[in-house]
Amino acid sequence: MNTIYDIAIAGGGTAGMTAAIYSSRAGKRVLLIEKSVYGGQIISSPEVENYPAFSPSTGYDFAAELHSQVSDLDVEQLNEEVTGIEQDDNEISRCLIVKCSENSYRARCVIIASGTVSRNLDLPGEDKYFGRGISFCAVCDGAFHKGKTVAVVGGGNTALEEALYLSFLCEKVYLIYRHSSLSAEETLIIDAQKKRNIVLMPETEIVKLHGKDELEKIGLISSGRSLELEISGLFVAIGRIPQNQIFVDLLDLDNEGYIIAEDNCHTSIPGIFAAGDCRTKDLRQLVTAAADGARASSEALKYLQKNIEPQ
């Protein structure tokens, strides 16, 4: 733990990788830490169509291009899980200690870009059926249900994107959502309504999962009445949970667990910044994640110049 990095970045999604690019190009010693696959949740998106000046492509391709940019720079990359951040007792070094699953690292400042994970249904048997009929990614698992009947639960953009992707593979796709109307973008709603094999099921809630070794059918309450659907797969897209549990005793979080940080990405502790979907914000999109990464890097550079670097 002798090396002291200028900026350590926790999370290798769009926000984290953008922060790494900006920080490295500013001549700083940068450590980028990602516990699994670089790219974050965008990897599972079948298409990226709303990123400015970017031709329609898959989320995986977008993430791969971004990671290629990072790899071309002098950024140290580690595949470890961040388990906490502590303030160093040594006032001379003025460092933060980033604790990971295998080692600990010292940095002058830290950018948290921990992202979010899919929200579960919280139904009995859900863990049993994960990977055996229940999935969070149509692109990853849709092919297993080719020519069969599946269901998607959720009413936002992700749910509509999942349903539209599956409509090209499956005989029938039930789109299940609790409210009377969908909350997705109008263009996605129109596209779904045009699909003859997408069946909209408003005011419907999944209450039970059935199956021996694999998911075979689901129990529903739809407009006050009980019914069952025989399906081969259930794709869950009911929102996301911020990956901030390890920071609950360190930073100020809101009631949903998002790090409280304004557009300048400053958190409640000087030298720690939050970027991307993990922070409080009104819009969580690819373009805002990239913007957060750039802003967090800019603010970190200002912090280093003011508090660490010799005047």
Side-chain angles (χ1 to χ4, degrees):
M1 201 172 68
N2 294 326
T3 300
I4 299 178
Y5 297 91
D6 294 309
I7 301 173
I9 302 167
T14 299
M17 287 196 286
T18 302
I21 291 170
Y22 274 74
S23 301
S24 180
R25 287 174 60 85
K28 301 305 176 186
R29 187 162 194 173
V30 181
L31 175 66
L32 179 61
I33 308 169
E34 168 55 47
K35 68 178 179 180
S36 55
V37 180
Y38 286 92
Q41 67 184 67
I42 193 61
I43 285 179
S44 61
S45 294
E47 281 190 298
V48 175
E49 295 183 304
N50 58 357
Y51 196 86
F54 188 78
S55 300
S57 182
T58 67
Y60 179 87
D61 289 340
F62 176 90
E65 287 290 333
L66 187 55
H67 186 240
S68 177
Q69 281 184 272
V70 173
S71 299
D72 286 341
L73 298 170
D74 189 20
V75 174
E76 186 171 341
Q77 302 178 48
L78 292 175
N79 278 115
E80 290 190 40
E81 181 176 2
V82 175
T83 58
I85 299 173
E86 295 179 355
Q87 291 177 302
D88 195 342
D89 293 332
N90 188 335
E91 294 183 2
I92 297 176
S93 65
R94 287 186 287 179
C95 286
L96 293 161
I97 299 175
V98 182
K99 302 181 72 175
C100 294
S101 51
E102 298 178 22
N103 300 287
S104 294
Y105 305 92
R106 292 194 296 172
R108 303 294 189 190
C109 56
V110 175
I111 297 173
I112 298 172
S114 50
T116 60
V117 294
S118 298
R119 188 180 298 277
N120 293 328
L121 292 167
D122 289 330
L123 290 174
E126 186 171 2
D127 291 341
K128 169 187 174 182
Y129 296 122
F130 180 71
R132 296 174 178 269
I134 291 182
S135 172
F136 295 104
C137 176
V139 175
C140 308
D141 301 324
F144 295 118
H145 306 279
K146 188 173 183 179
K148 300 178 182 179
T149 297
V150 299
V152 176
V153 56
N157 285 353
T158 301
L160 270 289
E161 289 172 352
E162 298 274 276
L164 287 166
Y165 178 83
L166 291 165
S167 69
F168 291 101
L169 296 171
C170 303
E171 181 180 1
K172 183 179 289 186
V173 180
Y174 290 101
L175 182 59
I176 300 166
Y177 49 105
R178 298 176 62 180
H179 302 291
S180 59
S181 60
L182 294 161
S183 58
E185 295 175 1
E186 188 64 23
T187 53
L188 291 172
I189 295 174
I190 292 172
D191 288 344
Q193 290 171 336
K194 289 179 180 178
K195 288 284 186 178
R196 292 185 178 182
N197 63 337
I198 294 181
V199 180
L200 303 182
M201 299 189 69
E203 298 181 333
T204 302
E205 186 174 356
I206 301 174
V207 294
K208 199 163 186 180
L209 307 170
H210 301 275
K212 188 177 180 181
D213 296 322
E214 297 184 351
L215 183 67
E216 297 172 4
K217 58 183 177 180
I218 53 177
L220 308 172
I221 299 293
S222 183
S223 300
R225 61 191 181 93
S226 299
L227 68 151
E228 291 184 344
L229 289 179
E230 292 187 1
I231 58 173
S232 71
L234 174 63
F235 294 83
V236 181
I238 55 173
R240 306 193 63 87
I241 301 172
Q243 296 260 64
N244 297 326
Q245 296 90 338
I246 60 173
F247 307 121
V248 68
D249 295 324
L250 176 71
L251 303 172
D252 291 342
L253 309 181
D254 70 6
N255 292 334
E256 295 182 340
Y258 291 96
I259 297 172
I260 296 176
E262 301 298 329
D263 288 344
N264 63 8
C265 299
H266 287 245
T267 71
S268 54
I269 293 183
I272 300 180
F273 307 88
D277 289 359
C278 68
R279 77 168 181 89
T280 50
K281 57 196 302 186
D282 293 327
L283 184 64
R284 293 183 174 88
Q285 292 286 307
L286 199 60
V287 68
T288 63
D292 271 12
R295 183 64 187 271
S297 172
S298 174
E299 295 299 315
L301 295 172
K302 292 177 186 176
Y303 173 83
L304 290 172
Q305 185 176 30
K306 180 180 180 180
N307 298 283
I308 306 296
E309 296 168 355
Q311 301 297 315

